[in-house]
Amino acid sequence: MTLKAKLTEIAWTSVDFVLKPIEDLADSVLGQTIDPFTDRHYIAWLSMVTLAFNYNVWFITARLCFPYHTETAIPFWFAADMLADFIYLMDSIIFQPRKQFVKAGDIIKDRIQTKKHYRESERFVADMVSLIPFDLLYLQFGFKSVFRFNRLLKADTFFEFSDRLESIMAKAYIWRVIRTIGYLLFMLHLNACFYYVASDYQGIGGTKWVYSGLGSAYLRCYYFAVRSLINIGGLNEPHTVFEIAFQMTNFFTGVFVFSSLIGQMRDVIGAATMGQTYFRSSMDNTVAYMVTNHIPPLVQNRVRTWYTYTWDAQGMLDESELLDKMPLVMRTAIAVDINLTTFQKIDLFKGCDQQMLVDMLLRLKSIVYLPGDFVVKKGDIGKEMYIIKSGAVQVVGGPDNSIVFVTLKAGCVFGEISLLQSSKDGGNRRTANVKAYGFANLFVLEKKDLFDILVHYPESQKVLARKGRKLMKAKGPAAAKAEEEKKKGLALFGPKPPTPKLLRAVGGTINRGIMDKIKATAGGK
């Protein structure tokens, strides 16, 4: 170890010894380390540091240009400056050294390593420079905000806060719009400051173009900045070369800045409404197709209703489009959280391998049915089972399907027997009509997907085969029920009783006599 490294280690050991009481006090609230992406305490603290940073950004420039350092105002400015500096200091001592980081794929949670990582980063250098107390030069040169310009090096905190806030907001575009508007207001703020400096250079009230000296200096200059940068017009004409050059620079800057900000705002709004635009485009294309092919108005209205309800209920037309972009681990976690409990309650799948159930969850497809839509019809080939995600369905029958046998609500399952039934003798045909009662969102599992999964789980396949036979005996297809009824003697027409032996003998003699007479008559002719 070099002499420089030894001295550095001794210095940091001394600093840690001094700061240990403060760190121990913070441990009870924050813990040993902080997850910078999910810890809400850290994000809340970032908002405080961002507030202090914005105070410095806005007021350092305003105090530098406008005459706000009066005898009565200086104590208040000094107190606000110290409060902002205290927030900066606490951020560097307590929060930043606790931030977890990733190294070679591992999340480092050891305090000693997180502290060392922060102290070796460029962020630490910028934080330390931003805390250098150039304010002490007040004693020599007077109270001037220019000595606080190093506080603006804390800009990384603002951008970090912006990223973290977007990651936890349900509608992140709201913050993006607010941030873009903030950029616009700050550009106008800087222009107002420059205009006041230019007016002071020319002489306050010296010409019609400069600030007249009446009213609030900041508001008057900000008003000029708004009209100048946005090119509203109606401004007093500049007279001197300096005024003309300043005004031309304003116009060119305004065109560049506002075109950039308008483009950024367009991108933000476009990203926020991208899903709605896709929905509207899909619906319009479908309607145009139906109109071109002269689809009946009743069908067109049902298609429009399906589009509208699906979008309102899910916020997208196909959930799988979103989930397909996620890693398998995340898709599995979401599927397990939503549907595993329901799957475990299905009699057919009790006792099966848990991993097999998870694989089945990943094969589920979401389908929305409109009120009155038939999910299955009696006599159809059964190739799917259904889980009710939301809404309800009814098992109906009788004339015009007007009789409701049972209503199944969210969490119920139907059609699971058809997954294991054979097509032999119509064994996998539906035995009842099921239609949607109101809007119904169902998860569908196809038989092909189930068989693809069972190849990898032979034990579960045996369990399903055994349970399937038991369930089919209880509520299987019509063929199985008819066979059961025959065994119990409940069939409508029982088996034909055997003919008594005496009748068989007499009947046989009579029949032979009749046949002999018919043959003799035929031979005589």
Side-chain angles (χ1 to χ4, degrees), residues 39-106:
D39 194 303
R40 297 300 178 94
H41 292 95
Y42 178 67
I43 297 175
W45 172 254
L46 283 181
S47 67
M48 294 292 296
V49 182
T50 300
L51 186 63
F53 171 75
N54 275 278
Y55 162 79
N56 286 319
V57 166
W58 285 76
F59 286 99
I60 285 176
T61 51
R63 289 157 53 186
L64 181 63
C65 300
F66 290 89
Y68 287 153
H69 287 167
T70 61
E71 291 294 331
T72 56
I74 285 178
F76 296 101
W77 289 124
F78 187 78
D81 291 346
M82 292 300 101
L83 178 59
D85 292 348
F86 177 76
I87 294 175
Y88 275 26
L89 182 63
M90 290 297 101
D91 183 59
S92 300
I93 292 176
I94 296 177
F95 286 88
Q96 295 303 321
R98 279 180 163 80
K99 284 172 56 177
Q100 300 171 8
F101 66 97
V102 178
K103 182 179 181 180
D106 295 330

Side-chain angles (χ1 to χ4, degrees), residues 221-278:
C221 293
Y222 202 94
Y223 176 73
F224 171 87
V226 171
R227 300 193 65 175
S228 178
L229 285 184
I230 303 180
N231 296 323
I232 294 177
L235 298 170
N236 293 322
E237 291 293 328
H239 299 287
T240 66
V241 175
F242 175 81
E243 293 174 354
I244 294 173
F246 185 92
Q247 192 60 52
M248 289 179 62
T249 304
N250 256 4
F251 287 146
F252 285 123
T253 304
V255 170
F256 173 75
V257 171
F258 276 87
S259 61
S260 300
L261 291 177
I262 289 173
Q264 185 176 356
M265 187 70 75
R266 180 203 61 195
D267 294 340
V268 169
I269 296 176
T273 59
M274 182 172 57
Q276 181 74 26
T277 302
Y278 172 73

Side-chain angles (χ1 to χ4, degrees), residues 306-358:
W306 179 87
Y307 266 101
T308 303
Y309 175 79
T310 302
W311 177 259
D312 291 341
Q314 301 180 167
M316 60 189 70
L317 296 179
D318 187 0
E319 292 179 342
S320 62
E321 292 182 0
L322 177 64
L323 297 177
D324 287 343
K325 298 177 183 179
M326 295 183 179
L328 178 61
V329 175
M330 294 185 180
R331 281 188 285 138
T332 302
I334 292 175
V336 168
D337 185 65
I338 295 175
N339 299 313
L340 182 59
T341 304
T342 302
F343 250 68
Q344 291 172 335
K345 294 178 181 178
I346 302 175
D347 291 338
L348 183 62
F349 299 128
K350 288 181 178 179
C352 292
D353 191 296
Q354 290 295 308
Q355 185 58 44
M356 188 202 77
L357 298 183
V358 172

Side-chain angles (χ1 to χ4, degrees), residues 118-393:
Y118 170 62
R119 290 171 178 175
E120 292 176 350
S121 65
E122 295 180 357
R123 175 83 172 264
F124 174 74
V125 176
D127 289 348
M128 291 301 101
V129 174
S130 69
L131 285 171
I132 296 177
F134 291 114
D135 312 62
L136 296 176
L137 295 175
Y138 292 166
L139 301 175
Q140 179 67 27
F141 300 99
F143 195 78
K144 299 181 184 298
S145 63
V146 67
F147 300 130
R148 293 184 56 80
F149 255 84
N150 60 317
R151 303 299 192 272
L152 305 187
L153 294 175
K154 199 72 173 175
D156 282 349
T157 301
F158 169 76
F159 294 111
E160 183 185 5
F161 169 71
S162 181
D163 292 340
R164 299 294 179 268
L165 187 62
E166 285 186 18
S167 66
I168 64 173
M169 289 183 66
K171 297 181 178 179
Y173 67 86
I174 296 176
W175 167 248
R176 297 188 191 114
V177 171
I178 294 174
R179 184 181 60 199
T180 303
I181 294 174
Y183 292 157
L184 170 61
L185 296 177
F186 184 69
M187 294 301 298
L188 294 173
H189 164 79
L190 290 180
N191 191 260
C193 294
F194 293 148
Y195 175 64
Y196 183 85
V197 172
S199 298
D200 187 51
Y201 174 77
Q202 288 286 93
I204 301 296
T207 65
K208 291 184 178 180
W209 180 84
V210 300
Y211 167 56
S212 63
L214 302 176
S216 171
Y218 183 79
L219 288 179
R220 295 275 183 170
C221 293
Y222 202 94
Y223 176 73
F224 171 87
V226 171
R227 300 193 65 175
S228 178
L229 285 184
I230 303 180
N231 296 323
I232 294 177
L235 298 170
N236 293 322
E237 291 293 328
H239 299 287
T240 66
V241 175
F242 175 81
E243 293 174 354
I244 294 173
F246 185 92
Q247 192 60 52
M248 289 179 62
T249 304
N250 256 4
F251 287 146
F252 285 123
T253 304
V255 170
F256 173 75
V257 171
F258 276 87
S259 61
S260 300
L261 291 177
I262 289 173
Q264 185 176 356
M265 187 70 75
R266 180 203 61 195
D267 294 340
V268 169
I269 296 176
T273 59
M274 182 172 57
Q276 181 74 26
T277 302
Y278 172 73
F279 156 71
R280 180 55 57 187
S281 175
S282 299
M283 184 173 177
D284 291 344
N285 292 336
T286 304
V287 171
Y289 173 82
M290 292 189 296
V291 172
T292 301
N293 291 275
H294 307 289
I295 304 298
L298 179 62
V299 177
Q300 292 189 31
N301 290 335
R302 291 186 67 80
V303 171
R304 289 189 180 95
T305 302
W306 179 87
Y307 266 101
T308 303
Y309 175 79
T310 302
W311 177 259
D312 291 341
Q314 301 180 167
M316 60 189 70
L317 296 179
D318 187 0
E319 292 179 342
S320 62
E321 292 182 0
L322 177 64
L323 297 177
D324 287 343
K325 298 177 183 179
M326 295 183 179
L328 178 61
V329 175
M330 294 185 180
R331 281 188 285 138
T332 302
I334 292 175
V336 168
D337 185 65
I338 295 175
N339 299 313
L340 182 59
T341 304
T342 302
F343 250 68
Q344 291 172 335
K345 294 178 181 178
I346 302 175
D347 291 338
L348 183 62
F349 299 128
K350 288 181 178 179
C352 292
D353 191 296
Q354 290 295 308
Q355 185 58 44
M356 188 202 77
L357 298 183
V358 172
D359 290 345
M360 291 172 59
L361 295 178
L362 296 175
R363 303 293 185 99
L364 294 178
K365 299 176 183 177
S366 178
I367 299 180
V368 173
Y369 289 89
L370 302 183
D373 279 354
F374 278 91
V375 182
V376 298
K377 288 187 176 181
K378 186 175 182 179
D380 287 349
I381 301 297
K383 299 179 180 178
E384 309 92 2
M385 66 164 286
Y386 299 88
I387 303 173
I388 304 176
K389 178 183 178 183
S390 61
V393 298

